[in-house]
Amino acid sequence: MLTMRQEQVEAFRQHHLQKFEDEMVEHLKKFAPQRCKVAGEEAVRQVIRIGIENAKKYGFINRGAVRLYIELMFAFGSYFDTDPQYTWASAVLDNPEQLEQMVRADRLWNQARKYLAKVSGPKHEHMHAALQRLKQSRAEDFIRPGEPLDESILLTLPSIFPQRCDYLGGTALRALVRKGLDLAHSYQFETDTGKVLVVALALAVGHRFADDPLWGWARRRMDTSRFPDPEVREKKLYSAAKVYLEIALAADRVSQ
């Protein structure tokens, strides 16, 4: 009887993982061309590897289920599974029911479609309008004199992202703002404008954008060893965010 040594099994597994990774790179260039272009191929590959490992935690090991999981990472951020604004995802992924993985994958996809239809709009018109409003706003617009910063942000966000805020509701939105402010504190952003910037990015591209390979442009500007002065970091992050916003709007106009 022909048997395979452990090293042969591992080599076989690695060969198929590499083949899947290569295929996913080509697929994602079509699925999310703008994000792939901005991130760069090495970052795309890093996200795919993270996705394979994270999907495994939820019992997703079949090719189709893993592929869907990675697609959702590119749509909502690499750590969408723990993001307070995507509770529909955690509700499916953390469901204790012992369901076959493709059944759960179908549920996850259906919830993502419902979310996008309500929040982005059938032709992404809500998202495009929100990006336009964000482009025209300033961090100072989120700061109300005499109001605690978190409350001030919560009161202002609906004017920028009305559909998303309506969908989230007060509890999830408050949790996201709190996470954003905690993140700003951990990176030593000292000004209210810097804190607002971090919260806005957490809402726009995902709550863990600072360590998400998809958003390398943000991660580099958040690097405290590279830019130890928090004011310099804030200015560089703000400038990079503006550039990305222009790119996102241009890509959105093409896709409409």
Side-chain angles (χ1 to χ4, degrees):
M1 181 178 178
L2 182 64
T3 59
M4 294 180 70
R5 297 193 303 272
Q6 184 58 42
E7 58 268 28
Q8 291 174 312
V9 172
E10 181 60 21
F12 182 78
R13 187 180 77 87
Q14 290 298 329
H15 168 75
H16 281 273
L17 281 175
Q18 185 61 55
K19 185 178 179 182
F20 176 73
E21 180 181 310
D22 291 341
E23 290 173 359
M24 280 303 301
V25 168
E26 295 308 310
H27 168 66
L28 290 165
K29 286 178 181 177
K30 299 173 184 175
F31 177 79
Q34 179 254 334
R35 291 193 177 174
C36 288
K37 184 177 180 180
V38 170
E41 185 167 318
E42 184 49 45
V44 170
R45 289 183 179 277
Q46 191 178 349
V47 174
I48 293 169
R49 293 171 200 142
I50 291 171
I52 291 170
E53 290 304 311
N54 283 354
K56 194 186 302 180
K57 294 189 305 185
Y58 298 110
F60 286 1
I61 55 175
N62 285 357
R63 182 187 187 88
V66 176
R67 172 170 160 158
L68 170 66
Y69 190 93
I70 294 170
E71 287 175 346
L72 293 179
M73 292 170 72
F74 274 76
F76 303 112
S78 295
Y79 303 102
F80 75 93
D81 56 318
T82 56
D83 197 320
Q85 62 186 315
Y86 304 126
T87 52
W88 51 265
S90 58
V92 174
L93 292 169
D94 296 330
N95 193 318
E97 291 182 71
Q98 297 299 313
L99 298 174
E100 198 275 326
Q101 61 181 294
M102 289 310 298
V103 173
R104 286 187 294 121
D106 284 343
R107 287 187 179 183
L108 193 60
W109 172 231
N110 286 332
Q111 290 302 314
R113 288 174 60 191
K114 289 177 183 177
Y115 173 86
L116 288 171
K118 288 184 177 180
V119 174
S120 293
K123 295 183 179 180
H124 302 286
E125 64 273 18
H126 300 329
M127 180 57 67
H128 184 80
L131 291 175
Q132 286 283 14
R133 286 189 290 269
L134 190 59
K135 177 186 174 183
Q136 294 162 6
S137 67
R138 303 171 306 144
E140 290 83 358
D141 297 335
F142 291 79
I143 303 168
R144 301 186 179 197
E147 194 82 53
L149 185 60
D150 57 343
E151 293 299 327
S152 182
I153 294 171
L154 284 165
L155 289 169
T156 309
L157 281 174
S159 65
I160 306 294
F161 301 104
Q163 288 81 15
R164 185 174 295 193
C165 290
D166 285 346
Y167 183 93
L168 287 174
T171 301
L173 193 59
R174 190 174 295 276
L176 182 64
V177 170
R178 188 69 261 162
K179 269 186 171 278
L181 290 174
D182 289 344
L183 182 63
H185 177 73
S186 70
Y187 279 89
Q188 298 146 33
F189 281 85
E190 299 170 350
T191 66
D192 283 352
T193 54
K195 294 171 186 176
V196 166
L197 175 60
V198 173
V199 171
L201 284 171
L203 183 66
V205 298
H207 74 134
R208 286 184 57 184
F209 72 89
D211 57 358
D212 188 337
L214 271 178
W215 315 115
W217 56 266
R219 185 164 59 168
R220 288 188 292 275
R221 274 78 177 180
M222 298 276 278
D223 188 342
T224 55
S225 61
R226 188 178 183 186
F227 304 112
D229 186 332
E231 288 189 19
V232 172
R233 263 184 289 119
E234 179 183 335
K235 289 177 181 176
K236 288 190 174 293
L237 184 61
Y238 179 79
S239 296
K242 283 289 189 182
V243 171
Y244 178 76
L245 189 56
E246 290 286 357
I247 294 171
L249 277 166
D252 199 46
R253 280 192 290 270
V254 170
S255 65
Q256 285 186 323

